[in-house]
Amino acid sequence: MDIKAIKTKPFIDQKTGTSGLRKKVSVFRQSGYIENFVQSIFDCLEGFEGKTLIIGGDGRFYNEKAIQTIIKMAIANQFGRIIVGQNGILSTPAASHLINKHEAFGGLILSASHNPGGSDGDFGIKFNNASGGSAPESLMQKITERTKVIDRYWMVDTPDIDLSKIGTQTIGTMIIEVIDSVDDYAEYMQEIFDFDLLKNYFKKGIKFVFDAMNAVTGPYAKRIFEKMLGAKEGCVIHDTPMPDFGGLHPEPNLVYAKHLVDMAYSENGPDFAAASDGDGDRYMILGHNFFVNPSDSLAILADYLEEIPYYKGRLYGVARSMPTSTALDAVATAKGLPLYATPTGWKYFGSLLDNKKIALCGEESFGAGSLHLNEKDGIWAVLAWLSILAKTGKTVEQVVQEHWQKYGRVYCSTHNYEALESDDANAVMHHLTEQTKTLAGQQFGDLTVEQAGLFTYTDPTTNIAEELPVVEINFSGGSRIIVRLSGTGSSGATMRVYYNKTMTDTAHLNDDVQETLADLIAAFNQISDIKRFTGREVATVIT
Ligand code: G1P
Ligand code: ZN
């Protein structure tokens, strides 16, 4: 078979972020764009000849086309074996698991996570290394540098692989295995969770709905919840991965999964409702008439995790991203667990997981994971919640209310200002950073600033300190405001403002969230002067 070096010229904008390369589909469709990026990845890796590469994506528009290109390039670059999900489908956690299971060199995951799909939507390519997790920042930078000078990529001229047929094919010396997308992941979940306990729980007739949002988790949820655990057929809704996610924005939160929220808050609504995002790493949990904030969910998972057999005696530490509410801290203190507050981005958790410092981690942005694999994992989180409910016999709301009674409640909310002009967003960040220098001791209504400034993270394994462009304003009594710019958007800028207020008075555990946070929101408006810089009075998406 003919391996050809095809001449190419650099594109100017192949800069990678923490979640790989994420851009509009129209950008990816430019001739040679994917080839340049994938070859740049391969050019920065060493020692993959003859090794295994896992390939799969969330089924969004351009998934299969990209996979066919990548397979041919992997052949030309001399990988030894490719394992690809049937029809190109693999959720991010399933791909991560396959990397570990097959001791693969790494994997290429095609997804733009929770960003919209379709021909006008977003696409993305992410490289995960042998740990199963995202490639480290240093490698991503190297790849970006490589994209700037690349002048050729390697390609073979061979017909497209039939991805619909499960089985092994050989092309030259390359072995290509098309595998069932769900089998291995489902088996792994069975090793982690007590499926008999969960089967009995479903037998009791619990009303359960899982919304796959027309994205990747449909086949996983149908197999695990309906077939293996005996949940009622049809309880998995929007269960077929579609190129445009059927027009849904596959981001499980109160705004984009409103249809599910409405269902949970209806008269005969489900006892337990859950959803996952485009590529299956995020999750949302609802009870009947009840929403579980992801920060509370993480704290509750920490409290109960050792009830799940796989974790018995293994909960050696926990982590949350720094903007995630401090609800987890109270559990860590009560259990005497080391707690790490990391910058946003899974790679920080990845390093803690790799170094066995933590067994559980999560984010306010509807993501959580554990030592079971080096990515966040939506279906895993839902199974963990089901295990808590099955074990305690309590409802979702009871579990959360009891948690608040025991540890107090940290009211929290994220206000997202989307589609800002980049210059305006930077101006607000600059202004805020300047303001923080003189904030200590200042009074905003009943709130007194204790400390303010940029967030510094010290890596516990290397002891290297890093100052991040994240503004934190801490008030006495445990209230705080955190402001940062999103790193995952595909156009313009998104500013995220995170609010926390701790309440231990048991008479105030069920107040309105936004009203409770109103004085903090007012303080942010005053300190940031956001209206002057951006013209915005309110956030676009509040979660
Ligand atoms: C967002 C979330 C962050 C998450 C990331 C990838 O990043 O806020 O918690 O790790 O997506 O799913 P951001 O857009 O805020 O940079
Ligand atoms: Zn995702």
Side-chain angles (χ1 to χ4, degrees):
M1 193 184 13
D2 230 10
I3 298 175
K4 284 196 190 117
I6 313 276
K7 280 210 176 101
T8 187
K9 277 199 204 117
F11 289 86
I12 43 169
D13 63 346
Q14 287 191 319
K15 190 175 176 334
T16 63
T18 45
S19 14
L21 185 69
R22 213 181 271 186
K23 301 268 177 207
K24 290 266 163 234
V25 165
S26 53
V27 175
F28 273 96
R29 283 175 108 172
Q30 296 171 86
S31 161
Y33 192 86
I34 287 191
E35 289 85 343
N36 268 16
F37 184 63
V38 171
Q39 189 61 53
S40 298
I41 296 175
F42 293 162
D43 285 349
C44 293
L45 302 175
E46 270 167 40
F48 55 76
E49 293 79 4
K51 302 254 171 72
T52 303
L53 182 70
I54 309 293
I55 306 176
D58 63 10
R60 67 178 60 226
F61 185 85
Y62 221 53
N63 193 53
E64 251 207 77
K65 177 89 175 64
I67 289 179
Q68 294 292 355
T69 304
I70 292 170
I71 289 177
K72 290 171 197 172
M73 292 183 65
I75 298 172
N77 279 274
Q78 318 270 300
F79 274 89
R81 179 165 71 140
I82 288 170
I83 298 178
V84 54
Q86 187 178 20
N87 298 318
I89 296 289
L90 283 179
S91 75
T92 293
S96 174
H97 169 58
L98 285 169
I99 294 174
N100 294 333
K101 180 172 172 167
H102 294 282
E103 295 179 356
F105 185 85
L108 284 169
I109 302 173
L110 299 312
S111 170
S113 188
H114 50 282
N115 293 10
S119 55
D120 299 329
D122 289 351
F123 192 74
I125 301 183
K126 182 164 99 115
F127 175 69
N128 281 25
N129 63 19
S131 76
S134 310
E137 190 73 16
S138 52
L139 176 60
M140 299 314 281
Q141 278 168 10
K142 225 173 127 188
I143 294 167
T144 300
E145 289 312 308
R146 180 67 193 148
T147 64
K148 294 179 188 162
V149 293
I150 190 152
D151 57 1
R152 59 91 189 95
Y153 57 85
W154 297 101
M155 186 55 103
V156 289
D157 190 13
T158 184
D160 280 359
I161 305 297
D162 183 356
L163 295 177
S164 68
K165 260 199 252 122
I166 289 176
T168 304
Q169 327 173 23
T170 310
I171 298 183
T173 55
M174 168 69 83
I175 299 162
I176 301 175
E177 288 176 39
V178 178
I179 61 162
D180 181 277
S181 313
V182 179
D183 281 354
D184 299 272
Y185 179 82
E187 202 178 279
Y188 194 39
M189 290 301 114
Q190 205 166 6
E191 278 170 38
I192 297 172
F193 297 101
D194 181 346
F195 269 34
D196 289 334
L197 173 80
L198 298 179
K199 268 191 247 172
N200 282 331
Y201 182 60
F202 277 114
K203 258 196 207 130
K204 290 184 186 145
I206 170 204
K207 278 192 268 168
F208 171 78
V209 177
F210 180 90
D211 187 347
M213 300 186 89
N214 298 322
V216 82
T217 50
Y220 295 86
K222 275 201 97 64
R223 173 85 64 83
I224 294 171
F225 300 127
E226 294 187 10
K227 299 234 163 49
M228 295 169 86
L229 296 175
K232 212 166 139 213
E233 220 183 298
C235 71
V236 176
I237 58 170
H238 298 130
D239 61 350
T240 310
M242 293 183 186
D244 64 348
F245 305 126
L248 290 179
H249 183 152
E251 180 166 3
N253 64 33
L254 295 173
V255 179
Y256 298 121
K258 188 169 181 301
H259 53 279
L260 187 69
V261 178
D262 289 346
M263 210 187 261
Y265 279 78
S266 65
E267 204 175 321
N268 286 311
D271 305 306
F272 183 94
S276 190
D277 74 327
D279 64 328
D281 57 358
R282 295 187 176 200
Y283 75 107
M284 176 169 75
I285 305 289
L286 295 152
H288 189 217
N289 293 322
F290 200 82
F291 163 67
V292 185
N293 185 286
S295 294
D296 285 330
S297 172
L298 178 64
I300 290 163
L301 289 174
D303 212 10
Y304 283 98
L305 202 69
E306 283 196 287
E307 303 273 330
I308 298 167
Y310 182 84
Y311 297 97
K312 193 120 215 96
R314 294 171 87 181
L315 187 59
Y316 32 75
V318 291
R320 60 170 170 82
S321 69
M322 174 266 196
T324 301
S325 100
T326 51
L328 178 67
D329 306 30
V331 179
T333 305
K335 290 185 178 280
L337 294 172
L339 172 121
Y340 304 89
T342 61
T344 298
W346 191 263
K347 63 176 180 177
Y348 295 97
F349 292 148
S351 147
L352 296 173
L353 286 166
D354 281 350
N355 289 294
K356 304 251 175 311
K357 295 220 177 279
I358 57 162
L360 174 76
C361 47
E363 313 176 278
E364 54 68 48
S365 57
F366 299 82
S370 89
L371 49 79
H372 75 291
L373 52 83
N374 199 343
E375 281 282 2
K376 49 190 181 241
D377 189 345
I379 298 239
W380 167 85
V382 175
L383 286 166
W385 260 95
L386 281 167
S387 303
I388 295 171
L389 301 181
K391 192 95 191 181
T392 60
K394 290 175 185 151
T395 64
V396 173
E397 173 161 8
Q398 281 168 341
V399 169
V400 180
Q401 293 286 359
E402 282 178 18
H403 186 89
W404 290 340
Q405 289 282 339
K406 190 167 163 194
Y407 294 104
R409 175 173 181 186
V410 183
Y411 283 87
C412 58
S413 178
T414 306
H415 286 212
N416 303 286
Y417 296 80
E418 295 181 331
L420 296 173
E421 294 292 337
S422 289
D423 288 349
D424 295 352
N426 290 332
V428 179
M429 290 309 287
H430 179 74
H431 178 70
L432 266 171
T433 311
E434 287 302 305
Q435 290 291 99
T436 56
K437 292 177 183 158
T438 54
L439 274 182
Q442 279 196 43
Q443 196 85 21
F444 294 87
D446 291 339
L447 300 162
T448 311
V449 177
E450 223 164 45
Q451 171 270 337
L454 291 177
F455 169 57
T456 300
Y457 178 64
T458 307
D459 186 309
T461 34
T462 59
N463 263 327
I464 295 171
E466 178 188 359
E467 189 185 68
L468 292 116
V470 178
V471 170
E472 59 176 329
I473 306 169
N474 294 305
F475 299 86
S476 44
S479 293
R480 47 179 208 153
I481 302 172
I482 292 154
V483 191
R484 57 180 284 278
L485 298 183
S486 156
T488 60
S490 63
S491 54
T494 293
M495 180 176 298
R496 306 202 198 280
V497 187
Y498 309 86
Y499 298 104
N500 277 194
K501 184 181 272 188
T502 307
M503 202 69 86
T504 42
D505 178 354
T506 49
H508 286 286
L509 296 179
N510 283 286
D511 294 345
D512 181 83
V513 177
Q514 300 303 324
E515 271 170 32
T516 304
L517 299 172
D519 52 354
L520 282 168
I521 297 166
F524 168 74
N525 287 335
Q526 192 184 330
I527 299 166
S528 70
D529 221 349
I530 186 163
K531 192 179 164 206
R532 175 161 69 92
F533 288 106
T534 66
R536 300 285 178 89
E537 303 237 24
V538 286
T540 35
V541 174
I542 296 176
T543 57

